Amino acid sequence: MIELKHIHRDFQVGDQTVHALNDVTLSISRGDYVSIMGPSGSGKSTLLNVIGLLDRATAGQYLLNGKDVTGLSETEQAQTRNREIGFVFQAFHLVPRLTAAENVELPLMLAGIPAEERRPRVARVLQELHLTNRSHHKPDQLSGGQRQRVAIARATVMEPNVLLADEPTGNLDQKSGREVLDTLEALNQRGITLLVVTHDAALGQRAKRQIKMVDGRIVSNSTSSPSHAPA
Amino acid sequence: MHLRNTDVTHFAWRALHGYPTRTILMLIAMAIGVAAVVVLTSLGEGARRYVVGEFASLGTNLIIVFPGRSETAGITPSTMMGETPRDLTLHDALALTRSYNVRRIAPINVGSATVSWRGRSREVVIIGSSHELLAIRHWELAQGHFLPKTDLDRATPVAVIGKKIRSELFGAHRAMGEWLRIGDRRFRVIGIMASEGRSIGVDVEDTIMIPVASAQQLFNTASLFRILVEAKTRSAIEPVKQFIIDTLQARHQGKKDVTVITQDAVLATFDRILGALTYAVGGIAAISLAVAGILIMNVMLVAVSQRTAEIGLLKALGASPRQIIVLILAEALLLSAFGASIGLVLGEAGSLIIRHAFPILPAYAPIWAVVTAFLIALLTGLLFSLLPARHAARLDPVLALSKR
């Protein structure tokens, strides 16, 4: 469902051109669980941003669900992000002045869904992530793990096909990190395509498919039986 | 994908709540701008109404005849100084009654003299006039009679005194019927004026009125200070004015040596001047609104850069550039509307205080000023937020998200 063909992404830094992505060709099918690993600056976040339509490829072709999305306008890209893609960030990116429930509601609001339809959907997602009793808390009243679970609830409330997680456990202690990853993997079990960027090899090993990147290129692309069977 | 209005408002409302310092700062800026417009225009309007009211209290359908005329028509300093090529006389005044359109006339002579009663004395403005003056100026008596209805050239020794004169000279003693001394002549008090406050040029309370012939004897002059003429109707004012000019020209050997002004003309002039003044102060106040607008722009720019990560997040969640602009503008609009409302309340309170402090000044802000101030506030709020909003809409989401 995700098909990248000869994707390049160049950045201009001073008078130097940095090839963050250098001729990346990649195909990910529905329901996959993919980890993208590599040292910092290897282009793994850029790859995620291009897949998530937050960033545009300099050259190459990107098909999402068989549709060429390379040339979409900004507004069309925004719509696609809203409906098809969920993001989970290392820094959670919750809006501090809004409650957990209101944060989860944001994508529904941007989609123009009426309030009375939004509430049951938000409640359901929060319940699935065991956050019901936290729904009226502001982010600063939540633990790191809870915050990231709120962010996951927000990423999945529109029922997207793809969930993109950029270092989702980077700001968490080991226990919360494991919980968050378990949550993501449980979602993957239920059919969502999961892409996790991490520089933690142990976490990356848990994915069914592992991609290693160095200097903007994919250097290894292996499908291994997961070392740890997800619950 | 269209944002719902209630959602936009709610989101903007939460944003304003989330940053109270910024919000209060901008509210104050807006409120001061709008309040300034309201208060300043109410002052200007108050001054205008005050002057218009004063002129109206002068009398109705009034025409004023001055002696002397310079080549340029209208009111000039020389007419005010009373340079007199040829005096206006009592006979001139009498001649002016011979028109069907003239209801009544009052010749006026003004001077100042020492007035004394039983050892108390006081320097007082003396007005020499006739019985008709009371009706022409719409004054009222508190006690007794006004000047007697006699021939203008009869110098009866009677006086009508103002309230203040009464209390200053007579104290608790009964004033009616007493003889007081004005200059070197004796006058009997036949009436006391009711309290009228001030009315242009004359403080009725601090004035003594005597028959015009008596005043001419007292000040040893045959000339008049001016003649007040009341036309029968408003439409008769112009014919009467022409009649006065013609009559006096004929009586003065063909010389146009008087100035005739109508109350309407003076009123219209003051009305125009003070109206322009109100616009001017309103305009000055509007500049403070524009300053508030620039402040709003700066604060919104800061707000956008403070919330860069949030805007990046909204984009990641699927907000289109248009939606971002709508959200930011809604915030600015809400701020401006609140600030302007507070400003209106403050401004109206300010005018109320002015009206209490200076009861003679009817300081009501004109409706046009209130409405314009409000609209300008909204408009500046919107216009000056356009730049920050577009700036926010153009943010690169990847960069925005990486900023914390």
Side-chain angles (χ1 to χ4, degrees):
Chain A
M1 67 173 301
I2 294 170
E3 272 200 82
L4 302 178
K5 291 176 184 164
H6 307 293
I7 292 285
H8 289 258
R9 179 67 174 100
D10 301 336
F11 289 105
Q12 210 68 37
V13 179
D15 49 1
Q16 270 194 320
T17 305
V18 178
H19 303 284
L21 294 179
N22 198 347
D23 197 23
V24 171
T25 298
L26 179 66
S27 176
I28 297 168
S29 41
R30 190 176 289 271
D32 256 1
Y33 175 14
V34 182
S35 69
I36 304 169
M37 288 176 288
S40 15
S42 60
K44 54 191 193 304
S45 285
T46 306
L47 179 62
L48 203 70
N49 290 334
V50 168
I51 292 173
L53 292 171
L54 282 179
D55 205 352
R56 272 170 199 270
T58 317
Q61 198 187 24
Y62 173 17
L63 301 178
L64 178 65
N65 295 327
K67 199 175 122 205
D68 190 345
V69 293
T70 326
L72 289 184
S73 76
E74 242 188 284
T75 305
E76 290 166 329
Q77 279 192 343
Q79 283 181 15
T80 312
R81 279 199 296 272
N82 185 256
R83 293 193 194 123
E84 316 268 354
I85 299 162
F87 287 96
V88 175
F89 306 96
Q90 178 176 2
F92 319 135
H93 285 302
L94 299 178
V95 180
R97 60 175 186 275
L98 301 180
T99 65
E102 285 169 329
N103 265 288
V104 175
E105 212 179 339
L106 280 177
L108 300 170
M109 180 190 102
L110 292 171
I113 293 168
E116 56 275 15
E117 253 178 74
R118 298 197 300 243
R119 256 171 243 126
R121 286 176 73 168
V122 170
R124 201 180 62 230
V125 182
L126 284 174
Q127 199 207 335
E128 279 166 11
L129 293 173
H130 312 295
L131 288 163
T132 306
N133 58 350
R134 292 275 174 268
S135 58
H136 295 299
H137 290 221
K138 297 257 173 88
D140 57 7
Q141 298 164 318
L142 299 172
S143 72
Q146 286 168 340
R147 284 185 213 184
Q148 195 58 301
R149 294 219 305 279
V150 171
I152 294 170
R154 185 178 60 192
T156 53
V157 73
M158 288 292 289
E159 293 164 8
N161 292 318
V162 186
L163 190 56
L164 305 177
D166 193 350
E167 304 274 9
T169 62
N171 281 12
L172 298 175
D173 59 59
Q174 254 196 326
K175 183 172 166 286
S176 319
R178 208 175 310 119
E179 277 172 17
V180 162
L181 211 63
D182 286 346
T183 308
L184 290 174
E185 284 168 359
L187 288 164
N188 171 246
Q189 289 279 301
R190 285 163 43 192
I192 203 166
T193 313
L194 177 64
L195 269 77
V196 179
V197 161
T198 180
H199 61 261
D200 183 338
L203 290 182
Q205 298 293 327
R206 291 168 56 152
K208 280 177 261 178
R209 185 172 164 198
Q210 292 143 26
I211 292 171
K212 283 202 177 66
M213 290 190 70
V214 173
D215 288 340
R217 289 171 189 276
I218 294 175
V219 290
S220 110
N221 187 347
S222 62
T223 308
S224 69
S225 56
S227 56
H228 163 87
Chain B
M1 296 216 306
H2 271 287
L3 284 168
R4 285 162 185 275
N5 288 337
T6 50
D7 287 337
V8 173
T9 319
H10 185 242
F11 189 83
W13 177 250
R14 294 303 295 262
L16 294 181
H17 255 271
Y19 305 89
T21 322
R22 177 173 75 88
T23 304
I24 288 169
L25 214 77
M26 286 172 70
L27 282 181
I28 290 174
M30 250 321 162
I32 288 178
V34 173
V37 172
V38 172
V39 169
L40 287 180
T41 52
S42 81
L43 269 180
E45 179 72 2
R48 195 185 68 81
R49 284 204 206 185
Y50 169 73
V51 170
V52 169
E54 283 287 282
F55 270 89
S57 78
L58 217 64
T60 34
N61 305 332
L62 201 63
I63 300 154
I64 303 162
V65 186
F66 296 83
R69 179 193 179 105
S70 51
E71 285 309 304
T72 320
I75 316 163
T76 67
S78 72
T79 57
M80 294 301 190
M81 308 280 236
E83 287 168 21
T84 323
R86 183 183 290 270
D87 292 341
L88 274 177
T89 64
L90 274 181
H91 290 103
D92 288 336
L94 276 173
L96 297 184
T97 58
R98 292 182 214 127
S99 164
Y100 169 77
N101 282 325
V102 171
R103 175 168 288 152
R104 42 175 90 94
I105 64 145
I108 288 185
N109 221 337
V110 177
S112 161
T114 310
V115 178
S116 57
W117 183 77
R118 288 196 191 165
R120 290 194 209 190
S121 70
R122 184 178 170 81
E123 196 72 14
V124 178
V125 174
I126 310 292
I127 294 180
S129 191
S130 69
H131 178 76
E132 315 277 21
L133 183 67
L134 191 72
I136 288 181
R137 296 296 305 262
H138 302 310
W139 284 336
E140 271 169 40
L141 275 170
Q143 258 182 294
H145 304 279
F146 197 66
L147 300 174
K149 201 170 182 174
T150 56
D151 286 342
L152 286 182
D153 52 3
R154 255 188 83 182
T156 326
V158 292
V160 177
I161 65 175
K163 239 186 159 173
K164 192 171 176 187
I165 308 288
R166 202 209 79 83
S167 60
E168 291 289 324
L169 281 184
F170 296 94
H173 198 277
R174 188 185 151 86
M176 288 290 293
E178 286 296 320
W179 286 85
L180 44 70
R181 182 168 285 279
I182 303 176
D184 53 359
R185 283 157 194 274
R186 276 156 51 82
F187 290 83
R188 206 163 83 94
V189 177
I190 58 163
I192 296 164
M193 298 300 294
S195 172
E196 275 287 329
R198 287 193 65 88
S199 115
I200 289 183
V202 185
D203 184 355
V204 177
E205 292 188 12
D206 200 5
T207 306
I208 292 181
M209 279 166 255
I210 57 176
V212 64
S214 309
Q216 285 182 325
Q217 289 173 4
L218 187 66
F219 301 124
N220 191 24
T221 173
S223 70
L224 293 176
F225 178 63
R226 60 196 58 181
I227 303 170
L228 302 183
V229 180
E230 187 183 321
K232 274 197 173 138
T233 59
R234 195 181 169 83
S235 57
I237 292 177
E238 275 309 309
V240 169
K241 187 178 169 185
Q242 199 53 50
F243 160 77
I244 294 170
I245 292 170
D246 294 345
T247 310
L248 294 181
Q249 191 177 358
R251 290 182 56 81
H252 291 185
Q253 285 87 41
K255 288 221 170 64
K256 281 191 181 178
D257 57 1
V258 294
T259 300
V260 180
I261 60 168
T262 61
Q263 181 194 2
D264 276 14
V266 180
L267 194 61
T269 308
F270 271 95
D271 204 17
R272 268 204 307 280
I273 293 170
L274 290 164
L277 190 79
T278 305
Y279 281 116
V281 291
I284 293 166
I287 291 171
S288 66
L289 262 184
V291 173
I294 289 167
L295 186 76
I296 284 193
M297 175 167 71
N298 284 315
V299 178
M300 284 311 274
L301 274 173
V302 173
V304 166
S305 59
Q306 261 180 354
R307 274 149 61 190
T308 302
E310 181 187 321
I311 289 158
L313 168 80
L314 287 176
K315 288 194 155 192
L317 296 181
S320 65
R322 222 186 68 96
Q323 286 180 322
I324 300 277
I325 289 181
V326 166
L327 286 175
I328 303 264
L329 288 189
E331 207 175 312
L333 204 63
L334 210 61
L335 256 184
S336 317
F338 265 106
S341 306
I342 293 172
L344 286 188
V345 172
L346 285 182
E348 292 294 353
S351 328
L352 191 75
I353 290 168
I354 291 171
R355 290 199 295 271
H356 267 275
F358 307 99
I360 55 163
L361 203 66
Y364 292 92
I367 292 292
W368 63 260
V370 174
V371 173
T372 330
F374 198 84
L375 290 182
I376 289 180
L378 292 194
L379 203 70
T380 46
L382 261 189
L383 276 182
F384 284 103
S385 297
L386 221 53
L387 187 78
R390 289 168 63 99
H391 176 70
R394 285 210 202 103
L395 281 174
D396 174 1
V398 174
L399 287 178
L401 279 167
S402 65
K403 200 176 159 183
R404 271 263 71 171

